[in-house]
Amino acid sequence: MIYFDNVSKLYSAGAAALEDVTFTIEPKEFVSLVGQSGAGKSTLIRLLLAEEKPSKGKVFFESLDVHNLTSSEIPFVRRKIGTVFQDFRLLPTKTAFENIAFALEAAGKDDAEIAADVPHVLELVGLADKSDYFPHELSGGQQQRVAIARALVNRPEVVVADEPTGNLDPLNTWEIIRLLAKINELGTTVLLATHDKDIIDTIGKRVITFEGGRVVRDEKRGRYIL
Ligand code: ADP
């Protein structure tokens, strides 16, 4: 489903952010990308989303070469990849419902679909009763759930979460990790970038470890070893 083929990324200044990175992710996998700050995790995600181009190698998403797409194929691919970030990235003047509806509008969905689909994903993330709340009226953990609902609403093939618990306390951290595990159990591939040792050691799923832009370990039931 996702294939990085000998990918390197050099920014204009400095050392390689990624170097000779090769791995494959199969549908329905839950994969953690682990590494200290600066190890290259966010760069990898930006390459997958076609926000940056590799300096060398190729990135494939469902057999499409991500950096060789037509301008109409790029939004098609991005819609198949739901994204969640550390800082939530919700629109502050829109309610939870409207934030999620916005992602459906951008994908060209009509009002009937929006009215049906938004309550469904709010229910899935446990926020059915917070539909009309603005981000500032929600806790950090609740805001991240809205962001996850927004990432899911277009039924992506994969959810990519870049340090999704970085701004959360331990209780909310575990609720978000449990939610990502549930989404995975329901059939969506999950890619989780984190440097949280407790999360990695508890999940018991595949871990790809990065050091200085290189893959140093790729283990089926990995642990946090840096
Ligand atoms: P991580 O997400 O694991 O913290 P990053 O992918 O953000 O790692 O960074 C990997 C390396 O690439 C770091 O050395 C970082 O300084 C560098 N880097 C990231 N983005 C840029 C950029 N836009 N320009 C120059 N260097 C960058």
Side-chain angles (χ1 to χ4, degrees), residues 58-226:
K58 284 184 187 292
V59 178
F60 294 91
F61 179 74
E62 293 185 334
S63 70
L64 290 168
D65 178 344
V66 170
H67 299 94
N68 219 347
L69 301 174
T70 63
S71 50
S72 62
E73 285 171 326
I74 289 178
F76 174 76
V77 165
R78 287 192 184 150
R79 215 162 287 144
K80 290 185 166 207
I81 306 174
T83 50
V84 179
F85 297 96
Q86 176 169 354
D87 54 0
F88 319 137
R89 302 194 186 175
L90 299 176
L91 298 165
T93 58
K94 290 186 184 288
T95 63
F97 185 101
E98 291 164 347
N99 265 282
I100 299 164
F102 195 66
L104 286 168
E105 285 159 17
K109 301 292 167 65
D110 62 30
D111 288 352
E113 284 172 286
I114 291 171
D117 289 353
V118 176
H120 176 71
V121 284
L122 276 168
E123 176 85 41
L124 182 70
V125 302
L127 288 180
D129 57 338
K130 299 282 189 278
S131 181
D132 296 329
Y133 283 54
F134 288 91
H136 74 267
E137 297 172 317
L138 298 169
S139 73
Q142 289 168 336
Q143 289 183 57
Q144 194 60 297
R145 284 159 181 269
V146 174
I148 291 172
R150 178 180 58 184
L152 285 174
V153 77
N154 280 309
R155 298 185 178 81
E157 301 292 326
V158 49
V159 168
V160 175
D162 192 357
E163 300 282 0
T165 61
N167 285 345
L168 303 179
D169 61 31
L171 190 64
N172 280 302
T173 290
W174 287 110
E175 288 186 354
I176 293 299
I177 296 301
R178 266 198 294 274
L179 181 55
L180 290 173
K182 173 170 141 188
I183 288 163
N184 179 243
E185 278 158 25
L186 293 172
T188 304
T189 309
V190 174
L191 210 52
L192 166 69
T194 183
H195 60 246
D196 186 318
K197 180 180 186 327
D198 289 343
I199 292 175
I200 297 307
D201 288 348
T202 309
I203 290 179
K205 305 263 190 188
R206 180 175 169 198
V207 177
I208 306 178
T209 307
F210 292 82
E211 267 175 36
R214 285 182 174 272
V215 174
V216 293
R217 265 183 298 281
D218 183 349
E219 294 170 320
K220 233 185 167 99
R221 283 180 60 87
R223 291 183 59 82
Y224 184 95
I225 311 164
L226 286 177

